[in-house]
Amino acid sequence: GWDLMFSRLRRGGSLALVSGKTVLQPDDLVTAVGNSAELDKATAYLGQAASRHLEADRTELDFRRVYASSSRVVGRRLRDIDLPGRLAAWGP
């Protein structure tokens, strides 16, 4: 496996979040986050790098950079915080 995360999927005219149930189709565009070596391996396996940046398309999905400063979350694993249950967010 690769040490990276997939986050967004552009299929046709729709933008969505990637989940563990996502099945890639021809011409899908996905955003991957990881170090350069891992991204190079994933790109070689999946197809080719795209010049389009899905994170710049904020028409359907948005993002925020958040600093973890609450004692309720600092030092805890993301899976233990129950983001899907608390915020309707998907996580690994």
Side-chain angles (χ1 to χ4, degrees):
W2 304 309
D3 188 19
L4 53 83
M5 299 283 298
F6 292 96
S7 61
R8 294 173 186 234
L9 166 72
R10 165 76 60 196
R11 178 173 292 151
S14 297
L15 186 64
L17 294 176
V18 173
S19 77
K21 296 178 183 179
T22 299
V23 177
L24 295 177
Q25 297 179 5
D27 298 321
D28 280 353
L29 182 62
V30 293
T31 298
V33 179
N35 70 43
S36 293
E38 293 296 305
L39 291 171
D40 288 344
K41 287 191 275 186
T43 300
Y45 184 79
L46 295 173
Q48 61 189 30
S51 60
R52 187 171 183 184
H53 296 278
L54 297 181
E55 65 278 2
D57 181 351
R58 297 172 84 170
T59 59
E60 297 177 61
L61 298 173
D62 205 352
F63 69 92
R64 300 285 191 285
R65 289 180 178 91
V66 179
Y67 293 98
S69 59
S70 169
S71 60
R72 292 177 295 200
V73 298
V74 170
R76 297 179 63 194
R77 294 180 298 192
L78 289 176
R79 69 176 173 223
D80 296 336
I81 297 172
D82 186 29
L83 290 178
R86 293 178 182 271
L87 307 173
W90 177 85

